[in-house]
mmCIF file with all atom_site columns, all heavy atoms in Angstrom:
data_model
loop_
_atom_site.group_PDB
_atom_site.id
_atom_site.type_symbol
_atom_site.label_atom_id
_atom_site.label_alt_id
_atom_site.label_comp_id
_atom_site.label_asym_id
_atom_site.label_entity_id
_atom_site.label_seq_id
_atom_site.pdbx_PDB_ins_code
_atom_site.Cartn_x
_atom_site.Cartn_y
_atom_site.Cartn_z
_atom_site.occupancy
_atom_site.B_iso_or_equiv
_atom_site.pdbx_formal_charge
_atom_site.auth_seq_id
_atom_site.auth_comp_id
_atom_site.auth_asym_id
_atom_site.auth_atom_id
_atom_site.pdbx_PDB_model_num
ATOM 1   N N   . ASP F 1 62 ? 139.657 66.660 238.816 1.00 0.00 ? 62 ASP F N   1
ATOM 2   C CA  . ASP F 1 62 ? 139.323 67.583 239.900 1.00 0.00 ? 62 ASP F CA  1
ATOM 3   C C   . ASP F 1 62 ? 139.177 68.989 239.323 1.00 0.00 ? 62 ASP F C   1
ATOM 4   O O   . ASP F 1 62 ? 140.021 69.851 239.500 1.00 0.00 ? 62 ASP F O   1
ATOM 5   C CB  . ASP F 1 62 ? 140.404 67.535 240.974 1.00 0.00 ? 62 ASP F CB  1
ATOM 6   C CG  . ASP F 1 62 ? 140.007 68.305 242.220 1.00 0.00 ? 62 ASP F CG  1
ATOM 7   O OD1 . ASP F 1 62 ? 138.947 68.958 242.210 1.00 0.00 ? 62 ASP F OD1 1
ATOM 8   O OD2 . ASP F 1 62 ? 140.770 68.259 243.194 1.00 0.00 ? 62 ASP F OD2 1
ATOM 9   N N   . PHE F 1 63 ? 138.092 69.189 238.586 1.00 0.00 ? 63 PHE F N   1
ATOM 10  C CA  . PHE F 1 63 ? 137.863 70.487 237.949 1.00 0.00 ? 63 PHE F CA  1
ATOM 11  C C   . PHE F 1 63 ? 137.724 71.612 238.969 1.00 0.00 ? 63 PHE F C   1
ATOM 12  O O   . PHE F 1 63 ? 138.111 72.741 238.702 1.00 0.00 ? 63 PHE F O   1
ATOM 13  C CB  . PHE F 1 63 ? 136.612 70.443 237.073 1.00 0.00 ? 63 PHE F CB  1
ATOM 14  C CG  . PHE F 1 63 ? 136.734 69.547 235.887 1.00 0.00 ? 63 PHE F CG  1
ATOM 15  C CD1 . PHE F 1 63 ? 135.733 68.647 235.588 1.00 0.00 ? 63 PHE F CD1 1
ATOM 16  C CD2 . PHE F 1 63 ? 137.847 69.600 235.068 1.00 0.00 ? 63 PHE F CD2 1
ATOM 17  C CE1 . PHE F 1 63 ? 135.843 67.814 234.479 1.00 0.00 ? 63 PHE F CE1 1
ATOM 18  C CE2 . PHE F 1 63 ? 137.958 68.775 233.960 1.00 0.00 ? 63 PHE F CE2 1
ATOM 19  C CZ  . PHE F 1 63 ? 136.955 67.876 233.669 1.00 0.00 ? 63 PHE F CZ  1
ATOM 20  N N   . GLU F 1 64 ? 137.148 71.291 240.141 1.00 0.00 ? 64 GLU F N   1
ATOM 21  C CA  . GLU F 1 64 ? 136.969 72.342 241.141 1.00 0.00 ? 64 GLU F CA  1
ATOM 22  C C   . GLU F 1 64 ? 138.310 72.903 241.588 1.00 0.00 ? 64 GLU F C   1
ATOM 23  O O   . GLU F 1 64 ? 138.458 74.094 241.804 1.00 0.00 ? 64 GLU F O   1
ATOM 24  C CB  . GLU F 1 64 ? 136.184 71.801 242.341 1.00 0.00 ? 64 GLU F CB  1
ATOM 25  C CG  . GLU F 1 64 ? 134.687 71.781 242.126 1.00 0.00 ? 64 GLU F CG  1
ATOM 26  C CD  . GLU F 1 64 ? 134.252 70.810 241.046 1.00 0.00 ? 64 GLU F CD  1
ATOM 27  O OE1 . GLU F 1 64 ? 134.881 69.748 240.888 1.00 0.00 ? 64 GLU F OE1 1
ATOM 28  O OE2 . GLU F 1 64 ? 133.296 71.125 240.340 1.00 0.00 ? 64 GLU F OE2 1
ATOM 29  N N   . LYS F 1 65 ? 139.303 72.024 241.727 1.00 0.00 ? 65 LYS F N   1
ATOM 30  C CA  . LYS F 1 65 ? 140.638 72.482 242.125 1.00 0.00 ? 65 LYS F CA  1
ATOM 31  C C   . LYS F 1 65 ? 141.188 73.443 241.073 1.00 0.00 ? 65 LYS F C   1
ATOM 32  O O   . LYS F 1 65 ? 141.768 74.475 241.403 1.00 0.00 ? 65 LYS F O   1
ATOM 33  C CB  . LYS F 1 65 ? 141.573 71.284 242.304 1.00 0.00 ? 65 LYS F CB  1
ATOM 34  C CG  . LYS F 1 65 ? 142.965 71.663 242.724 1.00 0.00 ? 65 LYS F CG  1
ATOM 35  C CD  . LYS F 1 65 ? 143.824 70.426 242.914 1.00 0.00 ? 65 LYS F CD  1
ATOM 36  C CE  . LYS F 1 65 ? 145.237 70.809 243.296 1.00 0.00 ? 65 LYS F CE  1
ATOM 37  N NZ  . LYS F 1 65 ? 146.090 69.632 243.420 1.00 0.00 ? 65 LYS F NZ  1
ATOM 38  N N   . ILE F 1 66 ? 141.014 73.115 239.814 1.00 0.00 ? 66 ILE F N   1
ATOM 39  C CA  . ILE F 1 66 ? 141.491 73.987 238.738 1.00 0.00 ? 66 ILE F CA  1
ATOM 40  C C   . ILE F 1 66 ? 140.751 75.323 238.770 1.00 0.00 ? 66 ILE F C   1
ATOM 41  O O   . ILE F 1 66 ? 141.359 76.381 238.656 1.00 0.00 ? 66 ILE F O   1
ATOM 42  C CB  . ILE F 1 66 ? 141.334 73.296 237.364 1.00 0.00 ? 66 ILE F CB  1
ATOM 43  C CG1 . ILE F 1 66 ? 142.283 72.095 237.277 1.00 0.00 ? 66 ILE F CG1 1
ATOM 44  C CG2 . ILE F 1 66 ? 141.593 74.284 236.220 1.00 0.00 ? 66 ILE F CG2 1
ATOM 45  C CD1 . ILE F 1 66 ? 142.079 71.210 236.074 1.00 0.00 ? 66 ILE F CD1 1
ATOM 46  N N   . HIS F 1 67 ? 139.445 75.288 238.985 1.00 0.00 ? 67 HIS F N   1
ATOM 47  C CA  . HIS F 1 67 ? 138.657 76.526 239.009 1.00 0.00 ? 67 HIS F CA  1
ATOM 48  C C   . HIS F 1 67 ? 139.015 77.421 240.192 1.00 0.00 ? 67 HIS F C   1
ATOM 49  O O   . HIS F 1 67 ? 138.866 78.637 240.112 1.00 0.00 ? 67 HIS F O   1
ATOM 50  C CB  . HIS F 1 67 ? 137.158 76.227 239.019 1.00 0.00 ? 67 HIS F CB  1
ATOM 51  C CG  . HIS F 1 67 ? 136.649 75.753 237.710 1.00 0.00 ? 67 HIS F CG  1
ATOM 52  N ND1 . HIS F 1 67 ? 136.698 76.508 236.562 1.00 0.00 ? 67 HIS F ND1 1
ATOM 53  C CD2 . HIS F 1 67 ? 136.098 74.574 237.333 1.00 0.00 ? 67 HIS F CD2 1
ATOM 54  C CE1 . HIS F 1 67 ? 136.193 75.837 235.557 1.00 0.00 ? 67 HIS F CE1 1
ATOM 55  N NE2 . HIS F 1 67 ? 135.827 74.658 235.996 1.00 0.00 ? 67 HIS F NE2 1
ATOM 56  N N   . ARG F 1 68 ? 139.494 76.817 241.292 1.00 0.00 ? 68 ARG F N   1
ATOM 57  C CA  . ARG F 1 68 ? 139.856 77.616 242.466 1.00 0.00 ? 68 ARG F CA  1
ATOM 58  C C   . ARG F 1 68 ? 141.232 78.273 242.341 1.00 0.00 ? 68 ARG F C   1
ATOM 59  O O   . ARG F 1 68 ? 141.586 79.109 243.158 1.00 0.00 ? 68 ARG F O   1
ATOM 60  C CB  . ARG F 1 68 ? 139.815 76.743 243.721 1.00 0.00 ? 68 ARG F CB  1
ATOM 61  C CG  . ARG F 1 68 ? 138.422 76.421 244.193 1.00 0.00 ? 68 ARG F CG  1
ATOM 62  C CD  . ARG F 1 68 ? 138.438 75.773 245.562 1.00 0.00 ? 68 ARG F CD  1
ATOM 63  N NE  . ARG F 1 68 ? 139.198 74.541 245.613 1.00 0.00 ? 68 ARG F NE  1
ATOM 64  C CZ  . ARG F 1 68 ? 138.692 73.324 245.438 1.00 0.00 ? 68 ARG F CZ  1
ATOM 65  N NH1 . ARG F 1 68 ? 137.414 73.182 245.187 1.00 0.00 ? 68 ARG F NH1 1
ATOM 66  N NH2 . ARG F 1 68 ? 139.462 72.261 245.514 1.00 0.00 ? 68 ARG F NH2 1
ATOM 67  N N   . LEU F 1 69 ? 141.999 77.889 241.334 1.00 0.00 ? 69 LEU F N   1
ATOM 68  C CA  . LEU F 1 69 ? 143.316 78.499 241.149 1.00 0.00 ? 69 LEU F CA  1
ATOM 69  C C   . LEU F 1 69 ? 143.173 80.007 240.940 1.00 0.00 ? 69 LEU F C   1
ATOM 70  O O   . LEU F 1 69 ? 142.242 80.470 240.317 1.00 0.00 ? 69 LEU F O   1
ATOM 71  C CB  . LEU F 1 69 ? 144.022 77.883 239.931 1.00 0.00 ? 69 LEU F CB  1
ATOM 72  C CG  . LEU F 1 69 ? 144.408 76.415 240.031 1.00 0.00 ? 69 LEU F CG  1
ATOM 73  C CD1 . LEU F 1 69 ? 144.927 75.926 238.682 1.00 0.00 ? 69 LEU F CD1 1
ATOM 74  C CD2 . LEU F 1 69 ? 145.440 76.196 241.116 1.00 0.00 ? 69 LEU F CD2 1
ATOM 75  N N   . LYS F 1 70 ? 144.115 80.739 241.451 1.00 0.00 ? 70 LYS F N   1
ATOM 76  C CA  . LYS F 1 70 ? 144.075 82.196 241.312 1.00 0.00 ? 70 LYS F CA  1
ATOM 77  C C   . LYS F 1 70 ? 144.879 82.607 240.081 1.00 0.00 ? 70 LYS F C   1
ATOM 78  O O   . LYS F 1 70 ? 145.858 83.344 240.170 1.00 0.00 ? 70 LYS F O   1
ATOM 79  C CB  . LYS F 1 70 ? 144.611 82.855 242.570 1.00 0.00 ? 70 LYS F CB  1
ATOM 80  C CG  . LYS F 1 70 ? 143.747 82.584 243.784 1.00 0.00 ? 70 LYS F CG  1
ATOM 81  C CD  . LYS F 1 70 ? 144.213 83.350 244.979 1.00 0.00 ? 70 LYS F CD  1
ATOM 82  C CE  . LYS F 1 70 ? 143.516 82.981 246.228 1.00 0.00 ? 70 LYS F CE  1
ATOM 83  N NZ  . LYS F 1 70 ? 142.168 83.218 246.391 1.00 0.00 ? 70 LYS F NZ  1
ATOM 84  N N   . TYR F 1 71 ? 144.437 82.092 238.946 1.00 0.00 ? 71 TYR F N   1
ATOM 85  C CA  . TYR F 1 71 ? 145.060 82.398 237.665 1.00 0.00 ? 71 TYR F CA  1
ATOM 86  C C   . TYR F 1 71 ? 143.999 82.971 236.732 1.00 0.00 ? 71 TYR F C   1
ATOM 87  O O   . TYR F 1 71 ? 142.807 82.761 236.942 1.00 0.00 ? 71 TYR F O   1
ATOM 88  C CB  . TYR F 1 71 ? 145.662 81.144 237.030 1.00 0.00 ? 71 TYR F CB  1
ATOM 89  C CG  . TYR F 1 71 ? 146.823 80.556 237.791 1.00 0.00 ? 71 TYR F CG  1
ATOM 90  C CD1 . TYR F 1 71 ? 146.759 79.276 238.317 1.00 0.00 ? 71 TYR F CD1 1
ATOM 91  C CD2 . TYR F 1 71 ? 147.998 81.288 237.993 1.00 0.00 ? 71 TYR F CD2 1
ATOM 92  C CE1 . TYR F 1 71 ? 147.823 78.725 239.016 1.00 0.00 ? 71 TYR F CE1 1
ATOM 93  C CE2 . TYR F 1 71 ? 149.064 80.750 238.688 1.00 0.00 ? 71 TYR F CE2 1
ATOM 94  C CZ  . TYR F 1 71 ? 148.972 79.472 239.199 1.00 0.00 ? 71 TYR F CZ  1
ATOM 95  O OH  . TYR F 1 71 ? 150.021 78.941 239.890 1.00 0.00 ? 71 TYR F OH  1
ATOM 96  N N   . PRO F 1 72 ? 144.424 83.622 235.678 1.00 0.00 ? 72 PRO F N   1
ATOM 97  C CA  . PRO F 1 72 ? 143.450 84.109 234.690 1.00 0.00 ? 72 PRO F CA  1
ATOM 98  C C   . PRO F 1 72 ? 142.670 82.946 234.071 1.00 0.00 ? 72 PRO F C   1
ATOM 99  O O   . PRO F 1 72 ? 143.138 81.810 234.016 1.00 0.00 ? 72 PRO F O   1
ATOM 100 C CB  . PRO F 1 72 ? 144.318 84.802 233.636 1.00 0.00 ? 72 PRO F CB  1
ATOM 101 C CG  . PRO F 1 72 ? 145.605 85.120 234.329 1.00 0.00 ? 72 PRO F CG  1
ATOM 102 C CD  . PRO F 1 72 ? 145.793 84.050 235.364 1.00 0.00 ? 72 PRO F CD  1
ATOM 103 N N   . SER F 1 73 ? 141.486 83.245 233.587 1.00 0.00 ? 73 SER F N   1
ATOM 104 C CA  . SER F 1 73 ? 140.603 82.224 233.012 1.00 0.00 ? 73 SER F CA  1
ATOM 105 C C   . SER F 1 73 ? 141.268 81.434 231.899 1.00 0.00 ? 73 SER F C   1
ATOM 106 O O   . SER F 1 73 ? 141.058 80.229 231.768 1.00 0.00 ? 73 SER F O   1
ATOM 107 C CB  . SER F 1 73 ? 139.327 82.873 232.474 1.00 0.00 ? 73 SER F CB  1
ATOM 108 O OG  . SER F 1 73 ? 138.595 83.431 233.521 1.00 0.00 ? 73 SER F OG  1
ATOM 109 N N   . PHE F 1 74 ? 142.077 82.096 231.084 1.00 0.00 ? 74 PHE F N   1
ATOM 110 C CA  . PHE F 1 74 ? 142.737 81.408 229.978 1.00 0.00 ? 74 PHE F CA  1
ATOM 111 C C   . PHE F 1 74 ? 143.644 80.287 230.495 1.00 0.00 ? 74 PHE F C   1
ATOM 112 O O   . PHE F 1 74 ? 143.661 79.189 229.938 1.00 0.00 ? 74 PHE F O   1
ATOM 113 C CB  . PHE F 1 74 ? 143.542 82.394 229.128 1.00 0.00 ? 74 PHE F CB  1
ATOM 114 C CG  . PHE F 1 74 ? 144.322 81.734 228.032 1.00 0.00 ? 74 PHE F CG  1
ATOM 115 C CD1 . PHE F 1 74 ? 143.673 81.262 226.900 1.00 0.00 ? 74 PHE F CD1 1
ATOM 116 C CD2 . PHE F 1 74 ? 145.692 81.543 228.144 1.00 0.00 ? 74 PHE F CD2 1
ATOM 117 C CE1 . PHE F 1 74 ? 144.376 80.627 225.886 1.00 0.00 ? 74 PHE F CE1 1
ATOM 118 C CE2 . PHE F 1 74 ? 146.399 80.913 227.143 1.00 0.00 ? 74 PHE F CE2 1
ATOM 119 C CZ  . PHE F 1 74 ? 145.737 80.451 226.010 1.00 0.00 ? 74 PHE F CZ  1
#
Side-chain angles (χ1 to χ4, degrees):
D62 189 354
F63 294 132
E64 278 66 34
K65 180 179 178 183
I66 293 171
H67 286 298
R68 286 190 301 267
L69 294 173
K70 295 186 188 295
Y71 294 118
S73 295
F74 176 75

